Amino acid sequence: PFRGAVTPVVEVTDESTVTVEALLDGATFTSGTTVSGEGTHALLVTATDAADNEAQLAVSFTIDTTPPSFASVQPPRDSLLSASQVTLTGSVVDAVSLTIDGQAVSLAGNSFSAGPYTLAEGQRSWTLTALDAAGNSAQWEHRLVRDATAPTVTIGQPAAGALLGAATVTVSGTVSDPHLDVVTVNGTASTLSGSTFQSPSVPLSEGTNQLSVEARDRAGNVAQASRTIEVDTQAPTIAVS
């Protein structure tokens, strides 16, 4: 394939006068005319000398100015991972070769798999370069972020060992994580505001109650905090004898 326009030149030699007819894709063609249309072209040349001897030559050529295209790269760009290694997989259309950071990667049709690559905490990036048969190239910059650090979560209220006389309680505290996803109290999602969480009306039962708080980030890292409180909603019993 040619990466740009092509200018076919027809040359015919014979000892006598020669009549030449050239057809490009079925239409009359003049030697030396530039052809720029994308795709495969067929050139048919017929030469006839003065003695009516005829010769034909058929030539085809392809013009390809379109670079390969990356259909997918997995895990998706900017994904958040907790694992220490990752394998990049995906597909690239119309490529005959692929490199990742300059290292050759095998293609199985349009598909590829490369790695595993080591991930340190934070962002890592790769440059994927694909070439087609005509030499057109395409690049894909891929980024992933590793977060293997669990959130920090602290219960502020109620106080540990508190004695309450109500059937519900508001649980609040602080949480910190750059990729925080959710905080739950006894399995129910809390309301988040900046670095604080709050769960109003957490149901309680008479006696000892365990408050379990779980903070989860988008990489799947989990932190937990718990607190035990007491509930006494029974009024004293008064007896006079």
Side-chain angles (χ1 to χ4, degrees):
F2 295 92
R3 290 177 59 189
V6 177
T7 305
V9 175
V10 177
E11 295 181 351
V12 178
T13 59
D14 194 89
E15 294 181 356
S16 64
T17 302
V18 177
T19 301
V20 178
E21 180 187 48
L23 300 175
L24 180 68
D25 301 330
T28 300
F29 175 76
T30 301
S31 177
T33 301
T34 298
V35 182
S36 60
E38 186 95 356
T40 299
H41 300 277
L43 178 62
L44 176 64
V45 179
T46 303
T48 307
D49 65 13
D52 286 335
N53 298 303
E54 184 179 281
Q56 280 192 335
L57 177 64
V59 177
S60 64
F61 59 93
T62 300
I63 296 175
D64 178 5
T65 61
T66 304
S69 61
F70 286 92
S72 69
V73 180
Q74 299 293 330
R77 183 157 55 190
D78 295 324
S79 290
L80 197 61
L81 309 173
S82 61
S84 60
Q85 292 184 323
V86 67
T87 296
L88 299 181
T89 62
S91 62
V92 56
V93 178
D94 196 31
V96 295
S97 69
L98 173 68
T99 62
I100 298 181
D101 290 341
Q103 299 298 310
V105 174
S106 297
L107 287 170
N110 291 335
S111 301
F112 67 88
S113 177
Y117 298 100
T118 300
L119 297 177
E121 192 80 2
Q123 180 176 285
R124 177 167 178 176
S125 61
W126 298 262
T127 299
L128 288 72
T129 304
L131 288 176
D132 65 15
N136 300 298
S137 66
Q139 279 195 341
W140 177 271
E141 298 295 332
H142 203 63
R143 302 179 301 271
L144 298 173
V145 177
R146 185 190 182 203
D147 176 5
T149 303
T152 58
V153 60
T154 302
I155 301 173
Q157 293 294 331
L163 179 62
L164 306 178
T168 64
V169 67
T170 294
V171 180
S172 62
T174 59
V175 62
S176 177
D177 190 283
H179 308 117
L180 184 65
D181 184 24
V182 66
V183 175
T184 62
V185 176
N186 288 358
T188 301
S190 295
T191 299
L192 297 173
S193 178
S195 61
T196 65
F197 70 89
Q198 186 176 78
S199 288
S201 302
V202 176
L204 302 172
S205 57
E206 195 77 8
T208 301
N209 287 258
Q210 179 87 1
L211 300 175
S212 298
V213 177
E214 181 177 283
R216 182 184 301 271
D217 65 21
R218 290 186 285 112
N221 301 299
V222 173
Q224 295 177 329
S226 63
R227 181 158 291 182
T228 300
I229 60 174
E230 299 290 331
V231 174
D232 181 3
T233 61
Q234 302 300 313
T237 300
I238 300 175
V240 176
S241 59

